[in-house]
Amino acid sequence: MWYEPLNKFLLVRSAELDAETRFPLSPFKLINTRTDFPQLCTGIRTTDCTDKYKFDWITFGDQEQVRSVKEMTEISRFCHSKLNVATMSQLGRDSVLFAYRNKVVITNLEGCEKTKLSVFTFNFNIEYVHCMTDSILAFHPHGVQGRCLSNNTVTQDILDMSKIYRVIGNDRVITLKSHPLYSCEKYDICLLTGHEATPLE
């Protein structure tokens, strides 16, 4: 199988899930962790430290490593609450971004916040986050708000309380589905390009 982040072919591997695993898994994201095979993140949990999170990994390496990860997951499941993660993505070789409730958090692969400006707080619950080189776009049912990664300033803020928006695709151009707030009979498809002063339709 061709794996784009590593730019090479990989063997297809499998790993057993614990019998008590509950679906849907959130997040469900392959992350390149500088190993022969990417690891699958199936959960993010809080810890006793406010600037550190615990990742639940499914690894496709040797079975001893798989058992070790499963045992660590069981311990963390008992001690810490699992977050309802809306979206997760990899920013670089050592950074990941995830969103839950009204927060976007950037950490390293060990779950530690990377810099002082690692948490972005919004005044709405986030449904989807799109990452760019210098900013992020956080989507909610009535629009989108952009934030600069370097100073947390608002790069754009689109709000339309008369419609419901939902991201349905993100392949080069962000695609949204919209319909009037009190009617689901007619849907529009919106293409979002750029990230400053770009209308939703």
Side-chain angles (χ1 to χ4, degrees):
M1 181 184 72
W2 180 259
Y3 184 61
E4 188 65 31
L6 293 181
N7 197 33
K8 66 178 181 179
F9 284 98
L10 295 177
L11 293 174
V12 176
R13 302 292 294 267
S14 62
E16 292 184 3
L17 288 176
D18 188 89
E20 297 181 0
T21 301
R22 295 185 178 181
F23 294 89
L25 298 174
S26 177
F28 189 79
K29 183 70 175 180
L30 281 174
I31 300 294
N32 179 19
T33 56
R34 303 184 303 278
T35 57
D36 290 338
F37 296 92
Q39 295 188 56
L40 181 64
C41 184
T42 59
I44 301 175
R45 304 172 187 277
T46 58
T47 68
D48 294 334
C49 300
T50 57
D51 59 349
K52 182 175 175 59
Y53 297 83
K54 167 68 180 173
F55 295 151
D56 292 344
W57 296 107
I58 293 178
T59 180
F60 299 95
D62 58 79
Q63 294 302 310
E64 290 298 324
Q65 189 178 11
V66 171
R67 284 196 293 271
S68 176
V69 171
K70 287 174 64 177
E71 290 171 1
M72 292 173 62
T73 300
E74 288 299 321
I75 294 173
S76 65
R77 182 178 300 160
F78 178 77
C79 296
H80 306 294
S81 59
K82 186 174 181 179
L83 299 174
N84 184 19
V85 177
T87 184
M88 182 181 190
S89 59
Q90 187 162 9
L91 297 180
R93 294 181 62 86
D94 301 307
S95 302
V96 294
L97 174 149
F98 59 90
Y100 69 98
R101 295 199 295 268
N102 66 330
K103 297 182 184 296
V104 173
V105 182
I106 299 175
T107 72
N108 59 21
L109 297 180
E110 287 71 43
C112 299
E113 294 178 8
K114 297 207 67 174
T115 63
K116 291 183 179 179
L117 190 58
S118 294
V119 180
F120 301 83
T121 303
F122 296 79
N123 61 353
F124 52 81
N125 283 336
I126 300 167
E127 292 191 347
Y128 183 79
V129 174
H130 175 70
C131 306
M132 292 172 288
T133 304
D134 58 350
S135 60
I136 56 175
L137 294 176
F139 291 85
H140 57 91
H142 299 293
V144 58
Q145 185 176 109
R147 296 284 185 89
C148 178
L149 289 173
S150 60
N151 55 25
N152 199 26
T153 57
V154 176
T155 58
Q156 75 171 8
D157 193 1
I158 299 174
L159 180 65
D160 185 354
M161 297 300 295
S162 68
K163 292 186 177 181
I164 299 293
Y165 294 93
R166 182 181 180 187
V167 177
I168 59 174
N170 186 14
D171 185 10
R172 296 185 181 179
V173 177
I174 301 173
T175 306
L176 302 99
K177 177 177 69 174
S178 72
H179 64 83
L181 181 61
Y182 298 108
S183 174
C184 297
E185 295 180 358
K186 180 182 178 181
Y187 288 86
D188 294 322
I189 298 297
C190 311
L191 302 179
L192 184 64
T193 59
H195 68 282
E196 292 187 4
T198 304
L200 283 177
E201 57 182 351

